[in-house]
Amino acid sequence: MLTNPTSDRVRSVRGLSRRGARRKSGAILVEGPQGVREVVRHAPQDLVDLYVTEAATERHRDIVDGARSAGRFVHEVTDEVLRAMCDAEHPQGMAAVVSWRPAAIDDVLDASPGTLIFLTNVRDPGNLGTVIRGADAAGADAVLVSSDSVDVTSPKVVRSTAGSLFHLPVVTGLDVEDTLDRLRAAGVRTYAADGTGERTVDEVDRRSPHAWIMGNEAWGLPTERRRRCDETVRVPIYGHAESLNLAMAATLCLYASTRG
Amino acid sequence: MLTNPTSDRVRSVRGLSRRGARRKSGAILVEGPQGVREVVRHAPQDLVDLYVTEAATERHRDIVDGARSAGRFVHEVTDEVLRAMCDAEHPQGMAAVVSWRPAAIDDVLDASPGTLIFLTNVRDPGNLGTVIRGADAAGADAVLVSSDSVDVTSPKVVRSTAGSLFHLPVVTGLDVEDTLDRLRAAGVRTYAADGTGERTVDEVDRRSPHAWIMGNEAWGLPTERRRRCDETVRVPIYGHAESLNLAMAATLCLYASTRG
């Protein structure tokens, strides 16, 4: 049982809340049973250490047993130690250190993807994580994230993905213009999601390979980036709302792909 | 120019972050230009006081002029005073005190609604506000909120609605069982949104009047409540995600209504 909230180990786990430490170690922090469960199920080989309180060990036997039978390190910790390790206010009894690497754009394109989403200049961690979760639910082939977006490995993003970060390839650090050109060259239609679009998401071709291109939460996609796409398309608005929030708009686009 | 952040007026505005003060006064706090603009456009008669910094007065002439020509009180304030009034960390230069009353369920049902959404036991302010925004975008006729959900008038909810709170009727404080019975008696089909549903949201009748019934973020709708509905329906999941978050699921349901 780890009881010292100021030990080097605790400090090193907590350090993963900082981008620099994540980069250096190639590890991220996954907080709470929902996310940890998906690591144990889908990427047990990447689980480095699982930290869990006594109460959570009882409550989530499936997760702890799964980690043990995959031969991973399970450490029992006090509530105080867990809180000291975590970025979340309520980590719900467990956290894991997990190896994670972004996917490569070449591999994504080589696999002949049907539906992609490309997030550019997205600044809110909750939005980014929620879109990854929505992309997973809609069965998208991968999520692409530009270098001018928030860091995918930050604890808030990881929490918002609810484990989906371990379900589908996520490519990070992409140059927007270069990637739009590569998508088109690979035969992937690029649809800029923007309220100014003439046709709606349900009116454009979603049977051919395509990518939804999303812009910043507040100011959307700049004109030059939209022009680089095949077409600007909109999610229809039927009431008086000015717009939808980014995560909702992205999820509606991705589900339009499932009805293609 | 109001310059004293500890004045009685500032304290009284700040007090609206507390539910008791909102109830007593019948007023709520609307923070930021996005929300305030929708009040000025859609409910100028309900704007009690507008507080705005010098910089925001320049930046958002349309809002300030709109408030003035509707004969409302516009007060210039310092950044410090605005921060002292607000719950938001970044109120972006303005906040308004606005009279707001929930709609009555009788009026909603008398107006022969086509699409409704009923939020039961929803606990996260951001989720609740986002669903109101989504309902507005999808052109729903009203949002119903149970008494066991978070308070619709809390500043976080109001911010997440992005002004949609002033665009469509929102009924609050509803008893769940009683309301489900009333909806059915009024000829409104009740669809419990839950992953266990046999048919998907796109497979059920959305041409007849209907209401989507949403449960708590973590544990969904209890069996007894689902049984009281006409049918349990699910948003299809195509990938490995366990579920969608509440706001996403609700928005997908509401947009399914637009394709009915």
Side-chain angles (χ1 to χ4, degrees), chain B residues 181-196:
Chain B
D181 293 346
R182 290 199 58 182
L183 287 168
R184 295 183 66 175
V188 176
R189 296 186 64 75
T190 49
Y191 296 133
D194 189 281
T196 63

Side-chain angles (χ1 to χ4, degrees), chain A residues 38 41-42 130 133 136-139 164 167 235-245 247-248 251-252 255 258-259, chain B residues 38 41-42 130 133 136-139 164 167 235-245 248 251-252 255 258-259:
Chain A
E38 299 309 307
R41 280 188 188 158
H42 290 265
T130 304
R133 185 176 179 183
D136 179 17
S164 289
H167 291 165
V235 175
I237 303 273
Y238 300 95
H240 300 291
E242 270 292 296
S243 62
L244 286 150
N245 86 15
M248 291 195 289
T251 305
L252 288 166
Y255 267 84
T258 71
R259 296 187 305 271
Chain B
E38 299 309 306
R41 279 188 190 159
H42 290 265
T130 304
R133 184 176 179 183
D136 179 18
S164 289
H167 291 164
V235 174
I237 303 274
Y238 300 94
H240 300 290
E242 272 291 297
S243 62
L244 285 150
N245 87 16
M248 303 291 111
T251 305
L252 288 165
Y255 268 85
T258 70
R259 296 186 305 270

Side-chain angles (χ1 to χ4, degrees), chain B:
Chain B
M1 168 87 84
L2 305 180
T3 58
N4 178 3
T6 63
S7 71
D8 285 350
R9 178 187 282 269
V10 171
R11 260 198 281 258
S12 122
V13 174
R14 179 52 182 259
L16 294 176
S17 293
R18 294 193 315 274
R19 185 171 192 164
R22 293 194 298 271
R23 267 211 189 151
K24 214 170 139 186
S25 64
I28 66 174
L29 184 62
V30 180
E31 303 161 305
Q34 202 176 15
V36 174
R37 179 179 285 116
E38 299 309 306
V39 175
V40 171
R41 279 188 190 159
H42 290 265
Q45 71 288 356
D46 296 330
L47 177 63
V48 180
D49 285 292
L50 172 59
Y51 299 98
V52 59
T53 63
E54 201 178 342
T57 301
E58 285 304 310
R59 202 176 316 125
H60 300 290
R61 279 254 152 254
D62 62 318
I63 303 177
V64 176
D65 290 349
R68 286 219 174 90
S69 45
R72 316 320 297 171
F73 291 105
V74 179
H75 311 267
E76 205 158 277
V77 298
T78 60
D79 285 331
E80 201 189 354
V81 163
L82 189 71
R83 263 200 311 279
M85 284 177 164
C86 283
D87 172 81
E89 264 181 74
H90 304 290
Q92 299 172 265
M94 68 173 71
V97 174
V98 179
S99 297
W100 187 86
R101 292 283 175 204
I105 182 75
D106 290 334
D107 293 340
V108 167
L109 293 178
D110 286 351
S112 309
T115 301
L116 298 172
I117 186 154
F118 185 16
L119 301 171
T120 71
N121 212 341
V122 169
R123 299 293 173 85
D124 180 77
N127 275 338
L128 185 60
T130 304
V131 174
I132 293 174
R133 184 176 179 183
D136 179 18
D141 295 290
V143 177
L144 314 182
V145 183
S146 71
S147 57
D148 57 9
S149 294
V150 69
D151 181 14
V152 167
T153 63
S154 89
K156 270 192 191 164
V157 175
V158 175
R159 285 201 298 277
S160 310
T161 71
S164 289
L165 187 59
F166 309 103
H167 291 164
L168 81 172
V170 177
V171 184
T172 63
L174 293 167
D175 177 82
V176 177
E177 283 69 21
D178 177 55
T179 304
L180 291 175
D181 293 346
R182 290 199 58 182
L183 287 168
R184 295 183 66 175
V188 176
R189 296 186 64 75
T190 49
Y191 296 133
D194 189 281
T196 63
E198 275 200 23
R199 292 201 292 171
T200 70
V201 295
D202 279 301
E203 288 166 349
V204 296
D205 171 19
R206 287 109 59 214
R207 299 198 173 216
S208 309
H210 62 281
W212 304 103
I213 320 296
M214 315 298 300
N216 174 269
E217 287 90 341
W219 56 82
L221 275 167
T223 316
E224 325 81 74
R225 288 184 175 178
R226 274 193 272 127
R227 286 216 187 105
R228 233 179 172 99
C229 297
D230 286 303
E231 184 169 346
T232 297
V233 299
R234 65 187 164 83
V235 174
I237 303 274
Y238 300 94
H240 300 290
E242 272 291 297
S243 62
L244 285 150
N245 87 16
L246 174 79
M248 303 291 111
T251 305
L252 288 165
C253 289
L254 287 159
Y255 268 85
S257 300
T258 70
R259 296 186 305 270

Side-chain angles (χ1 to χ4, degrees), chain A residues 7-194:
Chain A
S7 71
D8 286 350
R9 178 187 282 269
V10 172
R11 261 198 281 258
S12 122
V13 174
R14 178 54 183 259
L16 294 176
S17 293
R18 294 193 315 274
R19 185 172 192 165
R22 293 194 298 272
R23 267 208 189 154
K24 213 168 141 187
S25 65
I28 65 173
L29 184 62
V30 180
E31 301 161 306
Q34 201 176 15
V36 174
R37 180 178 285 115
E38 299 309 307
V39 175
V40 170
R41 280 188 188 158
H42 290 265
Q45 72 287 353
D46 295 330
L47 178 63
V48 180
D49 285 292
L50 173 59
Y51 299 98
V52 59
T53 64
E54 202 178 343
T57 302
E58 285 303 312
R59 202 175 317 126
H60 301 289
R61 279 253 152 257
D62 62 318
I63 301 177
V64 176
D65 290 351
R68 285 219 174 89
S69 45
R72 316 319 297 173
F73 292 106
V74 178
H75 312 268
E76 207 160 275
V77 298
T78 60
D79 286 330
E80 202 190 353
V81 163
L82 190 70
R83 262 201 311 279
M85 285 176 162
C86 284
D87 172 80
E89 263 181 74
H90 304 289
Q92 299 172 267
M94 68 173 71
V97 174
V98 180
S99 296
W100 187 87
R101 290 282 177 207
I105 183 74
D106 290 334
D107 294 342
V108 167
L109 293 179
D110 285 352
S112 308
T115 301
L116 298 172
I117 185 155
F118 185 17
L119 301 171
T120 70
N121 211 340
V122 169
R123 299 291 173 87
D124 180 77
N127 274 338
L128 184 60
T130 304
V131 173
I132 293 173
R133 185 176 179 183
D136 179 17
D141 295 290
V143 177
L144 315 182
V145 183
S146 71
S147 57
D148 57 9
S149 294
V150 68
D151 181 14
V152 167
T153 63
S154 89
K156 269 193 193 165
V157 174
V158 175
R159 286 201 298 277
S160 311
T161 72
S164 289
L165 188 59
F166 309 102
H167 291 165
L168 80 172
V170 177
V171 184
T172 63
L174 293 167
D175 176 82
V176 177
E177 283 69 21
D178 178 55
T179 305
L180 291 175
D181 293 345
R182 290 200 58 183
L183 287 168
R184 296 184 65 174
V188 177
R189 297 187 62 75
T190 49
Y191 296 134
D194 189 282

